[in-house]
Amino acid sequence: MKTNRQRIVILVLLLTPVLFIVKATDSIAVKKFLLEFRVGYNVGAYTPLPIPQEIRKVESYLPTFNPSIELALWYPLNNRWGCSAGVTYKNRGMETAARVKNYHLIMQQDEAQMEGYFTGITQTKVYTSSLLLPINMTYRLSPKWRLHAGIYGDYLLYGEFSGSVSDGYLRHNTPVGIKTEITAANPASYNLSENMVKWDVGAQVGCNWSLFSKINLFAEFGIGFFSIFEADFEAVSFPMYPLFGTIGVAVNY
Amino acid sequence: MKYAYFIKACAIFLLVNVSACIKDEAPNAEADIEYLLIKNDSILVNKADTLVKIGTESNQIIIKVLPGSDLRALSPTFILTKGAVVSPASGTVLDFSDNKEHTYTVISEDGKWTKTYTLQFRDPKINTAYSFENAELTAPQNKFYSFYELLADGTKDNLWASGNAGFMLSQYSALPEEYPTAPYALGKNGFCAKLETRSTGSLGAMVNKRIAAGNLFIGSFQVEAALTNPLTGTRFGVPFNYQPILLKGWYKYAPGGVLQDTDGNPILGQTDICDIYAVFYENTQQLDGTNILTSPLIVAVARMTNATACSEWTYFELPFVYQKQVDTNKLNNYQYNLTVVFSSSKNGGQFIGAIGSVLLIDEVEVTY
């Protein structure tokens, strides 16, 4: 089980070299910090990786409204290399419907639980608001292009994970257990928002493309290292990772 | 606008990629006999039994046959879940005479799961006096009790059914005594049947079925529709070749505290009441919870209309009120069904009742 403490330790270990670089270069260069303000939009999914065999088809996918804003300090070390650190407020989420076969689930409502194997449609809605602390190394390819890669710490401010199962049947306890129909008219819904973990650590890569001297377009791709549920959480039998792309506009000062 | 297109493009890109990651389908893990086919319908009490849908709540299949049928060489055939195999093979000729029970083992396509069924062909004869002394934990789950009758020749007859299997889905950790229908030691004589309206907890509320009334009836319960349309799961009645006159027996009733509606809101100024009745009907169709008291197939009904709370054992005697003539020829060929029904909450079928309503039933008899 990955505890929150482990997440924080990993984050600190990953951050240390970057912090040292910032510290070491501090004294040499009196070069100016650049303040970068970013507004972006995120598209992606919280998804198991790889997709488990039980998921037969993704029937629908709809991103929720996922804006993000970021304030970053960018510090050029030399002509090519630099580093940056920032703070981001990010909304991520999606609604999906998937056709599953023999999908192990535990429905837990307060003290009661129902365990079984479901075949049919699962609908899932995930929506989160998080505070991210990204730290990047940057590399200037050309006057127009700048690449960056780094890691981030992710603190969940608000999380919703809800859904329902329908259009199918549940086999109670085992695949040969009692079979119960679950129809679209009577779906069984669940809400696992309270079981979401607060901390995550992830990595991102991206690029900036200079549109005007102070205005850049950027694109970024990020992935979380940890599931949004604790590893021993039984209700969802596989880990779900945030996998999101961001595009937006960055303004430099 | 361009921006919106970009988002769509990204979404499609993601979908395509996700779809590309979908693995090959796993072999089927289920191992059910879904249907049983009997080619020779001349032996069957119920001609509709040439194709019988087999429920998943029990691994015991019993088909009622006309007395005197030749059962020495029957070849039951099965429709199994996809990819499953059964042994002995579907269509194997076996001797089912003298109540011989044969065991069939089904293995799933993935080879990891097996299910064992027993199949028996039996005389439709039933007991008509019921003391509720015989109850056992129901295989294969062994979580709740079922009442059974001992026939004159000593064989067990699973005459009585209840909705306990549906309750199990909502309250899996409940003890057998905590189910809506269970045996109880303090009967009129020996044990009795105890029916208690129970809460189905938060899982029941999730599917808007907040209570489970204790019920006990002659027939069978199919759990498949328990979460969707449970009234269709209470399949009332078995073939009966006599003309019933009276339903009599003893009961005790204590209504629970607060009567609640389907949404769990209290219904003020009303108390819960039990229901006791018997129906005799033409069995061209099996009646269920949706039509047992309204079907045009009904021939006679005996129903308690003056049920009250009573803390002492109270005798009841309810005459069958006939709405139609009985055809002697049909009667002799078992073309009528009889059911006897008890419920601790009269409107339990609509999930209206008071949690804690208790109906005790003992020493029941149908005279003919």
Side-chain angles (χ1 to χ4, degrees):
Chain A
M1 192 183 90
K2 297 283 188 285
T3 61
N4 275 343
R5 185 177 296 170
Q6 276 175 289
R7 282 164 213 263
I8 293 165
V9 167
I10 289 172
L11 178 64
V12 169
L13 286 177
L14 289 168
L15 287 185
T16 310
V18 182
L19 293 173
F20 268 109
I21 292 165
V22 173
K23 186 76 191 154
T25 51
D26 214 15
S27 49
I28 322 161
V30 209
K31 264 197 140 179
K32 55 184 177 176
F33 277 100
L34 256 175
L35 199 59
E36 189 167 274
F37 180 70
R38 291 174 155 194
V39 179
Y41 196 87
N42 308 290
V43 177
Y46 285 91
T47 175
L49 283 174
I51 305 269
Q53 198 172 28
E54 292 90 332
I55 295 179
R56 301 308 322 141
K57 193 180 175 206
V58 179
E59 297 277 354
S60 74
Y61 165 87
L62 188 70
T64 49
F65 178 62
N66 300 329
S68 63
I69 50 171
E70 179 174 339
L71 195 62
L73 273 178
W74 179 52
Y75 187 80
L77 297 172
N78 56 38
N79 246 352
R80 294 252 176 236
W81 291 93
C83 56
S84 75
V87 55
T88 314
Y89 174 84
K90 196 177 244 188
N91 282 353
R92 282 171 291 189
M94 82 294 170
E95 288 176 54
T96 56
R99 177 159 289 283
V100 299
K101 181 187 169 189
N102 212 35
Y103 168 89
H104 181 244
L105 57 81
I106 299 177
M107 275 193 231
Q108 207 144 14
Q109 291 276 318
D110 307 327
E111 81 294 352
Q113 71 169 39
M114 186 195 283
E115 181 175 359
Y117 289 81
F118 178 73
T119 297
I121 300 284
T122 64
Q123 306 240 18
T124 310
K125 182 185 179 186
V126 192
Y127 191 61
T128 64
S129 295
S130 309
L131 212 54
L132 274 66
L133 298 171
I135 294 206
N136 288 299
M137 289 303 292
T138 66
Y139 182 78
R140 195 197 292 275
L141 264 185
S142 72
K144 281 272 184 197
W145 288 94
R146 194 184 83 203
L147 307 178
H148 68 270
I151 52 147
Y152 66 84
D154 182 342
Y155 181 73
L156 187 75
L157 298 170
Y158 168 83
E160 182 188 339
F161 188 104
S162 60
S164 65
V165 295
S166 64
D167 298 281
Y169 59 88
L170 182 77
R171 302 298 305 235
H172 202 242
N173 288 339
T174 70
V176 291
I178 280 183
K179 181 175 176 174
T180 322
E181 286 174 349
I182 301 179
T183 60
N186 281 287
S189 53
Y190 55 86
N191 191 327
L192 304 173
S193 304
E194 285 179 9
N195 303 98
M196 296 173 82
V197 293
K198 286 283 180 194
W199 282 96
D200 189 16
V201 177
Q204 73 265 331
V205 292
C207 61
N208 271 30
W209 182 73
S210 158
L211 189 63
F212 305 114
S213 66
K214 299 242 177 262
I215 298 176
N216 297 294
L217 297 179
F218 77 94
E220 191 173 270
F221 177 77
I223 179 169
F225 295 159
F226 298 103
S227 173
I228 48 172
F229 297 113
E230 291 290 354
D232 61 349
F233 185 54
E234 287 179 318
V236 175
S237 55
F238 31 74
M240 303 268 283
Y241 304 96
L243 200 69
F244 281 84
T246 311
I247 49 160
V249 181
V251 183
N252 294 325
Y253 295 100
Chain B
M1 266 332 274
K2 259 190 178 164
Y3 189 49
Y5 279 125
F6 186 79
I7 291 170
K8 265 189 196 162
C10 283
I12 289 165
F13 172 79
L14 264 167
L15 255 184
V16 167
N17 274 282
V18 165
S19 302
C21 301
I22 285 179
K23 296 176 183 171
D24 288 339
E25 187 163 338
N28 212 332
E30 294 167 298
D32 301 311
I33 292 179
E34 293 187 330
Y35 292 93
L36 162 66
L37 288 89
I38 313 283
K39 283 167 211 149
N40 179 7
D41 73 349
S42 65
I43 62 168
L44 297 171
V45 170
N46 185 348
K47 303 304 173 204
D49 281 351
T50 46
L51 178 69
V52 190
K53 189 173 196 290
I54 306 299
T56 53
E57 52 281 325
S58 169
N59 297 354
Q60 190 179 23
I61 308 169
I62 294 168
I63 303 296
K64 298 288 175 72
V65 289
L66 290 168
S69 299
D70 182 1
L71 305 174
R72 286 172 298 176
L74 297 181
S75 53
T77 50
F78 306 105
I79 296 174
L80 309 171
T81 40
K82 189 182 145 276
V85 287
V86 62
S87 103
S90 177
T92 303
V93 178
L94 293 167
D95 178 2
F96 285 92
S97 61
D98 303 321
N99 285 346
K100 281 192 197 78
E101 191 178 71
H102 288 283
T103 301
Y104 292 86
T105 304
V106 184
I107 301 172
S108 65
E109 186 180 33
D110 71 3
K112 290 178 188 157
W113 299 93
T114 60
K115 218 166 148 179
T116 305
Y117 290 85
T118 59
L119 175 60
Q120 203 180 25
F121 291 85
R122 250 195 226 168
D123 195 286
K125 201 151 196 62
I126 61 164
N127 288 351
T128 52
Y130 317 109
S131 299
F132 305 107
E133 301 301 325
N134 303 311
E136 62 186 356
L137 291 175
T138 314
Q141 298 87 18
N142 297 323
K143 296 290 288 183
F144 55 84
Y145 285 104
S146 302
F147 288 94
Y148 63 90
E149 292 295 322
L150 280 179
L151 299 176
D153 63 2
T155 55
K156 272 188 203 170
D157 180 21
N158 296 323
L159 185 67
W160 296 99
S162 80
N164 275 350
F167 181 78
M168 178 185 75
L169 299 177
S170 68
Q171 301 275 34
Y172 194 67
S173 54
L175 299 171
E177 304 77 52
E178 293 168 347
Y179 275 72
T181 306
Y184 185 60
L186 304 173
K188 177 81 173 72
N189 293 310
F191 280 84
C192 67
K194 182 184 181 190
L195 315 184
E196 181 167 350
T197 304
R198 304 275 190 178
S199 166
T200 55
S202 38
L203 282 174
M206 207 167 84
V207 287
N208 216 30
K209 290 165 179 58
R210 289 176 171 76
I211 61 151
N215 61 9
L216 184 65
F217 57 93
I218 291 178
S220 61
F221 181 72
Q222 292 189 343
V223 77
E224 188 156 349
L227 298 181
T228 53
N229 194 2
L231 288 179
T232 61
T234 46
R235 303 180 61 75
F236 293 116
V238 294
F240 192 60
N241 64 336
Y242 297 102
Q243 194 171 336
I245 300 163
L246 285 177
L247 170 67
K248 56 188 190 181
W250 295 82
Y251 81 110
K252 268 189 191 184
Y253 187 62
V258 182
L259 187 65
Q260 64 178 58
D261 67 15
T262 310
D263 297 320
N265 301 315
I267 302 173
L268 300 171
Q270 286 184 45
T271 44
D272 203 1
I273 195 63
C274 61
D275 205 3
I276 297 174
Y277 62 89
V279 178
F280 185 63
Y281 69 90
E282 293 173 77
N283 62 15
T284 51
Q285 181 200 335
Q286 179 104 38
L287 299 188
D288 59 37
T290 63
N291 55 8
I292 185 62
L293 289 164
T294 54
S295 169
L297 296 173
I298 293 170
V299 175
V301 177
R303 192 175 196 187
M304 185 178 282
T305 51
N306 60 346
T308 53
C310 47
S311 55
E312 295 301 316
W313 283 104
T314 306
Y315 181 70
F316 62 87
E317 195 174 281
L318 312 169
F320 278 82
V321 179
Y322 278 79
Q323 306 167 4
K324 269 189 204 175
Q325 286 288 329
V326 174
D327 182 319
T328 318
N329 194 33
K330 279 185 174 178
L331 197 62
N332 292 336
N333 285 307
Y334 290 93
Q335 287 173 6
Y336 293 99
N337 268 15
L338 172 73
T339 186
V340 176
V341 182
F342 305 103
S343 174
S344 56
S345 293
K346 194 168 190 166
N347 295 313
Q350 283 79 47
F351 301 93
I352 300 165
I355 291 162
S357 292
V358 177
L359 173 65
L360 301 183
I361 288 289
D362 208 359
E363 308 307 326
V364 172
E365 190 180 351
V366 174
T367 63
Y368 52 88

